Amino acid sequence: SVLTLARVASGGRCEIVRQVAWRSAAYARLTTEVAALARGWRLERLVVDATGLGGPIAARLAESVGPRVAPFAFTAASKAALGFALIAAIETGRLLLHADDGSPEAAAVRAELADCGGEFTAGGGLRWGNERGHDDHVASLALCLHAAEAAGPGRRATGRSRE
């Protein structure tokens, strides 16, 4: 499981700040840690894969974090829409990856993006993923972008006058 954290900047650009990955983590640990990150980062929106085994995780996060959680069910059509949006954001510069800081997450997302492929389907759909390995980081990028697009324009802290 991968959580992608981003900020929405001017012009609707989605700037990835951090990715956190869990391998073989128990549901209780995963939901507790994701909820803590959501509260700590004061996430405005958290889109969670609610497909199959992700359903209970999404439900538990909704209970813990509240209405900021948006369950997302992967279907052929919904995954195609995410893929088209991801490609458009990358090609137009609206998606900016975090710096390659040497972390395992930075290496993993770049490797998965390089290995991710796609093909058009009948009816104008798009099938994408990594046939030889994982695409969890890329899918998390796509879900984060979906959350950012639904969050609206970026906010800017202006503070208050001391007077």
Side-chain angles (χ1 to χ4, degrees), residues 89-110:
I90 291 169
E91 292 294 322
T92 61
R94 287 186 300 106
L95 179 67
L96 196 63
L97 284 182
H98 55 298
D100 187 352
D101 57 3
S103 68
E105 288 82 5
V109 71
R110 284 163 175 78

Side-chain angles (χ1 to χ4, degrees), residues 6 13-17 89 93-98 141:
R13 188 174 62 221
C14 181
E15 297 176 348
I16 305 304
V17 176
R94 287 186 300 106
L95 179 67
L96 196 63
L97 284 182
H98 55 298
L141 275 179

Side-chain angles (χ1 to χ4, degrees), residues 86 111-118 128-132 134-135 138:
L86 185 60
E112 286 182 18
L113 282 167
D115 291 339
C116 193
W128 61 273
N130 181 357
E131 294 179 9
R132 297 178 307 229
H134 294 284
D135 64 359
V138 176

Side-chain angles (χ1 to χ4, degrees), residues 1-127:
S1 298
V2 178
L3 172 66
T4 301
L5 302 163
R7 68 175 156 259
V8 179
S10 62
R13 188 174 62 221
C14 181
E15 297 176 348
I16 305 304
V17 176
R18 181 176 176 204
Q19 285 191 307
V20 183
W22 293 265
R23 291 265 183 227
S24 304
Y27 286 137
R29 176 180 163 221
L30 180 65
T31 55
T32 299
E33 290 181 14
V34 170
L37 285 165
R39 285 190 292 276
W41 282 84
R42 292 183 281 161
L43 296 184
E44 197 168 306
R45 188 162 174 85
L46 176 61
V47 177
V48 180
D49 177 2
T51 312
L53 295 175
I57 294 172
R60 184 152 182 207
L61 284 169
E63 289 173 5
S64 177
V65 178
R68 293 175 287 174
V69 174
F72 185 93
F74 276 93
T75 64
S78 68
K79 188 171 180 181
L82 284 181
F84 282 124
L86 185 60
I87 291 167
I90 291 169
E91 292 294 322
T92 61
R94 287 186 300 106
L95 179 67
L96 196 63
L97 284 182
H98 55 298
D100 187 352
D101 57 3
S103 68
E105 288 82 5
V109 71
R110 284 163 175 78
E112 286 182 18
L113 282 167
D115 291 339
C116 193
E119 64 183 16
F120 293 107
T121 63
L126 175 67
R127 185 177 311 124

